[in-house]
Amino acid sequence: METTLTLGLVLLLTLCVGVAASGGTPGDNAQKRSSRPVDTKAGRCSYTFIVPQRKLTGALCLNTQSVAANRSEVAALRTELARQQEELEHLRGQLQQEGSLAMEVRALRKESSSMNSRIAQLYAQLLHEVIHKKDQALELRRVENLLLNATTQALQVSSNYRELEKKYGVLTSIMTSQNQFIARLEKQCKCGDSSQSSLVPTEPPKSHSNVHPNYSSEGIEMTNDVQRDQSASSSLQEKNTPDITTTAASTLTDPPFISFPATKAPGPWHDCQHVLDSGENTSGIYLLRPQGTNRLLQAWCEQSRAQGGWTVIQKRQDGSVNFFRTWEQYKLGFGNLDGEYWLGLEHLYWITKQAQYKLRVVLEDWQGRQVFAEYDSFSLEPESDWYRLRLGQYSGNAGDSLSWHNNKAFTTLDRDKDSYTAGNCAHYQKGGWWYHMCAHSNLNGVWYRGGHYRSRYQDGVYWAEFHGGSYSLKRVSMMIKPT
């Protein structure tokens, strides 16, 4: 206890000595004592020392300069703190700037992603278009190749057709020369007939003395090709025999047309109505000479249908005669009078010039059904007007398929007079007719067996109002008669 009190007194004395050494007075001490509370309020600290109970062996020292040192450090700390705050504000500003930049970067990244997707879409579309155009180019090349092949084939067919036309022209010239030769043989045979007429009492006389006065040798030479075709086979046989007169005499004992009755009188008549009025009521082949001309011709007279008196100008029944002929052949006539034939445009012109005639067209299909179409007037213009058709009013049960051709010129493969500007209807229809653009009837077309046929063009023997244009009729005949 005593030791403790001693230590406290020593400390108090030391403090007092320190104050006195600093030069202070009691007044000053009082002032200092009165100012301590102020200093304490100003932030100064008071210290309490706890001295362990031990025996002091020396003097105790107290350093009073620590307060000034603490002030400088505080000032330095405040300066550092201000600097740190400035840096912090600077960093905050940078952070805000970097945040806005980050937002912009994110927006740019998002926009870039959308742009990449759009670019990918556009690339896919472009690739699709390129592939599509490539396919179109391939298809175009394929079509061009097909067109080139078709053009080549068309050129080849055209060249073949021209070759066939040349061959047909050669055959036509050969046939013309043969017909001329046959005509000469016929003339020689008829000369022989006049000298041998007394040997054949059962036949009509053939000499010039018993024939109509206008039946001259000039008229005989003008006989149409129909007569020549029928006598071709017998004439060729006569050519191979050494004695023409003897052969002619022997052939007169047989009927001139097998399976058809011969005429009872030599004629010639103006037409088949004239034959009927003369008392000849049997259907067969008769010699005709229209009024106003010395032109002689043979024709089939139909006396058993529709009161008779019909001059048959065209007949189709078995396809034995080719009707795809030239203008000259259609003008003079061709075929066989006991089968298929065409009487001739020039003969038709002279016959219909005598009076007013009517036309009757008889049609039969492959089922045996027969129909007819009749026109109350029928005539042709001369060759200078291309045998233009003049037709009257229609009646009948076949339907009217010829009035569409009224007032039209006749057209053949070598005379294009139709109204079709893109080509020749005769080439498409394979015949000769009064074509328009092109036909509602084509009775001189190709004879197809069986009715319905397949062809690139409608080239059969058809009557449009009776089974249509794709049906080829079995039998057809055209007949005229004065009204």
Side-chain angles (χ1 to χ4, degrees):
M1 185 69 179
E2 292 178 357
T3 306
T4 304
L5 290 174
T6 303
L7 181 60
L9 291 173
V10 170
L11 180 59
L12 181 60
L13 290 173
T14 305
L15 290 172
C16 291
V17 171
V19 171
S22 62
T25 61
D28 295 333
N29 293 335
Q31 186 179 358
K32 291 180 180 178
R33 282 195 300 266
S34 62
S35 62
R36 286 178 182 173
V38 180
D39 296 334
T40 303
K41 292 179 181 180
R44 292 182 179 180
C45 298
S46 63
Y47 302 94
T48 303
F49 299 95
I50 299 174
V51 180
Q53 295 178 2
R54 63 180 180 177
K55 187 176 179 179
L56 296 174
T57 58
L60 294 176
C61 298
L62 179 61
N63 190 4
T64 59
Q65 299 179 354
S66 60
V67 177
N70 289 334
R71 290 176 180 175
S72 63
E73 290 178 359
V74 169
L77 289 174
R78 287 178 178 176
T79 304
E80 184 66 21
L81 179 60
R83 188 180 63 79
Q84 292 292 336
Q85 288 179 351
E86 290 177 359
E87 291 181 357
L88 182 61
E89 292 296 331
H90 180 68
L91 291 175
R92 285 179 181 175
Q94 290 182 351
L95 183 60
Q96 290 178 356
Q97 292 179 357
E98 290 177 355
S100 62
L101 290 175
M103 292 293 291
E104 293 179 359
V105 168
R106 283 195 293 272
L108 290 174
R109 286 180 179 176
K110 186 176 181 179
E111 187 176 357
S112 175
S113 178
S114 63
M115 288 295 293
N116 289 335
S117 62
R118 179 60 178 166
I119 290 172
Q121 183 181 2
L122 292 175
Y123 178 76
Q125 291 179 357
L126 181 60
L127 183 61
H128 177 72
E129 290 293 333
V130 170
I131 294 174
H132 182 65
K133 288 183 178 180
K134 184 177 180 181
D135 295 339
Q136 285 183 346
L138 293 175
E139 183 67 18
L140 181 61
R141 284 195 293 271
R142 189 181 68 83
V143 172
E144 288 178 351
N145 292 332
L146 291 176
L147 181 60
L148 183 61
N149 293 334
T151 304
T152 305
Q153 293 177 0
L155 292 174
Q156 184 177 2
V157 170
S158 177
S159 62
N160 293 336
Y161 183 76
R162 285 194 295 269
E163 292 178 359
L164 288 176
E165 283 186 339
K166 292 179 181 178
K167 292 180 180 179
Y168 186 78
V170 173
L171 291 176
T172 303
S173 62
I174 294 174
M175 290 179 62
T176 303
S177 61
Q178 289 179 352
N179 288 334
Q180 294 175 355
F181 180 72
I182 291 171
R184 290 194 297 270
L185 290 178
E186 288 177 353
K187 186 175 181 180
Q188 294 176 4
C189 291
K190 289 178 181 178
C191 291
D193 292 344
S194 61
S195 61
Q196 299 291 333
S197 58
S198 59
L199 300 177
V200 190
T202 59
E203 291 292 321
K206 301 294 183 178
S207 62
H208 294 289
S209 60
N210 294 328
V211 180
H212 194 278
N214 291 329
Y215 189 14
S216 61
S217 59
E218 179 183 0
I220 295 174
E221 292 180 358
M222 296 174 66
T223 304
N224 61 352
D225 288 342
V226 178
Q227 184 179 3
R228 295 171 183 174
D229 288 345
Q230 296 178 67
S231 60
S233 59
S234 61
S235 299
L236 291 176
Q237 292 176 359
E238 295 167 2
K239 180 177 69 173
N240 296 328
T241 56
D243 191 355
I244 296 176
T245 305
T246 307
T247 306
S250 63
T251 55
L252 289 175
T253 59
D254 298 327
F257 302 103
I258 300 174
S259 76
F260 291 97
T263 57
K264 296 181 179 180
W269 289 273
H270 301 321
D271 53 26
C272 290
Q273 181 65 44
H274 189 198
V275 174
L276 182 64
D277 295 341
S278 300
E280 299 290 340
N281 56 5
T282 303
S283 298
I285 301 169
Y286 292 85
L287 185 66
L288 306 180
R289 183 178 61 82
Q291 292 178 348
T293 179
N294 290 328
R295 184 179 297 273
L296 290 171
L297 65 138
Q298 285 181 312
W300 180 271
C301 292
E302 182 58 53
Q303 310 290 17
S304 60
R305 291 184 180 181
Q307 292 82 42
W310 295 98
T311 304
V312 179
I313 64 174
Q314 187 256 24
K315 189 192 302 183
R316 306 295 300 275
Q317 62 185 22
D318 53 13
S320 59
V321 176
N322 179 21
F323 275 67
F324 193 31
R325 302 280 185 130
T326 62
W327 177 270
E328 194 67 21
Q329 291 170 319
Y330 268 101
K331 174 183 175 181
L332 299 178
F334 55 85
N336 300 311
L337 287 172
D338 56 351
E340 295 190 335
Y341 76 94
W342 173 261
L343 186 61
L345 293 169
E346 188 68 18
H347 305 316
L348 278 175
Y349 165 69
W350 286 106
I351 292 175
T352 58
K353 191 178 179 181
Q354 301 177 115
Q356 183 174 351
Y357 282 76
K358 61 182 178 180
L359 171 68
R360 184 180 181 91
V361 181
V362 181
L363 311 171
E364 181 180 345
D365 62 14
W366 288 87
Q367 287 71 40
R369 179 187 173 191
Q370 290 188 358
V371 294
F372 75 95
E374 193 167 302
Y375 299 87
D376 60 4
S377 66
F378 172 82
S379 63
L380 298 183
E381 298 295 332
E383 185 180 11
S384 59
D385 198 14
W386 314 111
Y387 297 113
R388 193 173 302 275
L389 176 64
R390 304 300 185 189
L391 206 61
Q393 295 296 321
Y394 159 81
S395 62
N397 60 354
D400 185 9
S401 293
L402 192 57
S403 293
W404 195 63
H405 301 266
N406 190 23
N407 299 320
K408 299 299 178 292
F410 201 84
T411 294
T412 60
L413 62 92
D414 56 343
R415 297 285 179 92
D416 184 7
K417 302 301 175 183
D418 55 52
S419 303
Y420 186 56
T421 58
N424 187 349
C425 290
H427 286 280
Y428 302 128
Q429 306 290 318
K430 299 295 186 294
W433 198 246
W434 296 277
Y435 292 120
H436 185 10
M437 291 187 319
C438 275
H440 285 184
S441 57
N442 189 40
L443 302 186
N444 290 337
V446 181
W447 189 87
Y448 289 102
R449 185 179 299 276
H452 290 286
Y453 63 94
R454 291 183 179 181
S455 179
R456 184 175 181 182
Y457 305 103
Q458 289 185 349
D459 53 3
V461 180
Y462 68 84
W463 188 268
E465 295 293 331
F466 184 53
H467 292 301
S470 60
Y471 187 94
S472 186
L473 299 171
K474 184 178 181 180
R475 288 188 177 90
V476 172
S477 61
M478 299 174 65
M479 305 176 290
I480 59 174
K481 174 181 180 178
T483 57

